[in-house]
Amino acid sequence: MYDEQMVRVLVTAPLGVGGVTSMMINIQSHLDRNKINFDYLVTHDRKEPQEDTVLAMGSKKIVASVDKISIRFLRTLLRPFVISKVCKDNNVKILHCNADCAIDVLNILGARLGGVKYVTIHSHNAGAKNQGFGIKMADSLLKPLIPLCCDNYYGCSDLAARALLPKSLIKKKKYSVLPNGIDLEKFDYNEQTRQEMRNKLNLEEKYVIGHAGRFAAVKNHIVLLDIFNEIHKKNKNTVLLLLGIGELMDSIKKKAKNLGIADSVIFYGATNEMYKMWQAIDVFIMPSLYEGLPVTGIEAQASGLPCIFSDTITKEVGLTDKTEFLSLDESPKTWAEHALMYMSGERKSEVDKLRKAGYDIQQTADTLSKLYLEVYEKKIRK
């Protein structure tokens, strides 16, 4: 049972090192946790990299696992019933659902059956256009259910909101954009930290291309390696630093070996110190197939990095004059040429620009805190 003296919000987020999870934990760290706190709904029963972090902040980890079922379609159908049970067992009343696509509505329906009284759906993706036929079909069928089972609608960008929500909500402007805020001071450019990290990673005198993201198809690591291969052909004093974990890591390692660049690619894995890692990098490249508004893109810009995004990512992420967008139809060679253009660029703080644009984590935390404290008083407590 929950502490009745505190407003508890159940957040759907894996406790790995992804951007959405990092954002929710950052928000949580800026809440008055004597009044309001987050708990985390995860779908895998395993130890996760950021589990201890949230437990130390007073969170509960609530597991709704169907991993024992081998057929993916059956897992999707049965998970809502597991979610219903854990919500009922834990007396969950408020749910903040970080959604990738409309299939997440099934999990929301499960939560409703389990006694949840208020639901925010928060879109973080730019749509299902690059997904398979089944995902697209389910997306179109389930979108109309969103207004029936949700109370509040956020997008991390306008594009993300429009991609997930039905036209009825878009036309009536029933949604809000909640920026993916970060701790700007923590990520601000720091020359001393840069030197320390580059020494630690043996990157002195190297030109470092960086990427942070889980090893999944959407992040397009295959093309990223092709781009770096072209970079490395032009300048042997270059290194690709990959941060993250995921199911495709082994296949990407194999491709790096086949390209003959394995010795110049660092598979760093997961880290809770991304604010330090950004300092060691020289240019950030993100050739994703699609994104909502990537938190990593905000973090990279806050640290003063030039950023090259695929043009499938919303232009809303471009907040400084050192961001550009390239088509995935452009050759890896063209991407490489753009990346090498920043070799002689000056690094400086960009924090003021991001704060004016609304990306200060405290602003985001205050918005959610005000919302859920009011919801509790008006809809839950009475």
Side-chain angles (χ1 to χ4, degrees), residues 289-349:
L289 298 178
Y290 56 91
E291 298 274 353
L293 193 150
V295 177
T296 50
I298 302 301
E299 293 176 353
Q301 289 175 84
S303 70
L305 280 176
C307 300
I308 305 175
F309 300 104
S310 57
D311 65 1
T312 55
I313 301 173
T314 175
K315 301 298 189 297
E316 294 169 78
V317 75
L319 300 170
T320 73
D321 56 7
K322 291 192 292 185
T323 59
E324 58 177 303
F325 297 83
L326 294 178
S327 171
L328 292 175
D329 293 331
E330 295 282 1
S331 68
K333 185 176 180 180
T334 297
W335 280 71
E337 290 170 350
H338 281 254
L340 290 167
M341 287 169 54
Y342 295 102
M343 285 193 70
S344 59
E346 180 186 358
R347 191 88 168 259
K348 63 179 182 178
S349 174

Side-chain angles (χ1 to χ4, degrees), residues 85-356:
K85 183 179 186 305
V86 298
C87 286
K88 185 175 181 180
D89 290 347
N90 290 277
N91 194 29
V92 178
K93 297 302 178 186
I94 302 174
L95 176 70
H96 187 105
C97 179
N98 292 297
D100 286 329
C101 59
I103 289 178
D104 289 300
V105 167
L106 296 177
N107 296 335
I108 292 172
L109 289 171
R112 286 289 197 185
L113 289 172
V116 170
K117 293 185 177 181
Y118 190 92
V119 176
T120 289
I121 189 167
H122 191 173
S123 176
H124 293 277
N125 256 336
K129 59 185 177 183
N130 291 298
Q131 297 279 18
F133 175 77
I135 297 291
K136 291 180 180 178
M137 179 62 70
D139 203 61
S140 62
L141 290 173
L142 293 171
K143 265 189 181 185
L145 298 181
I146 292 176
L148 302 178
C149 62
C150 299
D151 303 283
N152 183 40
Y153 316 96
Y154 283 137
C156 64
S157 65
D158 191 69
L159 177 64
R162 290 175 176 273
L164 176 67
L165 302 177
K167 291 182 180 178
S168 59
L169 293 175
I170 300 299
K171 288 180 180 178
K172 295 178 183 178
K173 296 184 178 180
K174 292 283 188 177
Y175 67 93
S176 302
V177 173
L178 185 69
N180 287 342
I182 64 170
D183 188 337
L184 292 174
E185 300 302 331
K186 187 175 182 179
F187 284 89
D188 196 5
Y189 175 59
N190 185 296
E191 179 63 26
Q192 181 178 343
T193 303
R194 173 176 169 81
Q195 295 305 321
E196 290 174 357
M197 294 306 297
R198 288 174 72 88
N199 291 339
K200 177 182 176 180
L201 297 168
N202 295 316
L203 296 174
E204 300 95 332
E205 307 303 323
K206 297 289 186 180
Y207 184 61
V208 182
I209 289 80
H211 178 84
R214 71 187 187 278
F215 284 82
V218 63
K219 299 299 182 180
N220 213 9
H221 285 86
I222 290 175
V223 168
L224 180 60
L225 282 188
D226 289 334
I227 294 168
F228 179 70
N229 188 37
E230 294 297 330
I231 292 172
H232 201 60
K233 287 178 183 178
K234 294 176 179 293
N235 188 327
K236 296 298 182 183
N237 198 37
T238 52
V239 171
L240 176 61
L241 176 58
L242 299 176
L243 297 134
I245 56 177
E247 63 274 13
L248 297 182
M249 180 183 281
D250 288 342
S251 64
I252 298 303
K253 286 183 177 179
K254 184 177 180 180
K255 179 177 171 89
K257 185 176 180 180
N258 291 339
L259 288 172
I261 56 175
D263 290 343
S264 297
V265 180
I266 300 173
F267 290 84
Y268 191 85
T271 177
N272 291 324
E273 295 188 322
M274 273 306 304
Y275 65 99
K276 292 183 179 179
M277 302 304 295
W278 290 123
Q279 307 298 331
I281 296 168
D282 294 299
V283 60
F284 174 61
I285 300 181
M286 190 175 215
S288 298
L289 298 178
Y290 56 91
E291 298 274 353
L293 193 150
V295 177
T296 50
I298 302 301
E299 293 176 353
Q301 289 175 84
S303 70
L305 280 176
C307 300
I308 305 175
F309 300 104
S310 57
D311 65 1
T312 55
I313 301 173
T314 175
K315 301 298 189 297
E316 294 169 78
V317 75
L319 300 170
T320 73
D321 56 7
K322 291 192 292 185
T323 59
E324 58 177 303
F325 297 83
L326 294 178
S327 171
L328 292 175
D329 293 331
E330 295 282 1
S331 68
K333 185 176 180 180
T334 297
W335 280 71
E337 290 170 350
H338 281 254
L340 290 167
M341 287 169 54
Y342 295 102
M343 285 193 70
S344 59
E346 180 186 358
R347 191 88 168 259
K348 63 179 182 178
S349 174
E350 300 285 4
V351 161
D352 287 343
K353 287 183 180 178
L354 272 68
R355 182 174 289 110
K356 289 178 182 177

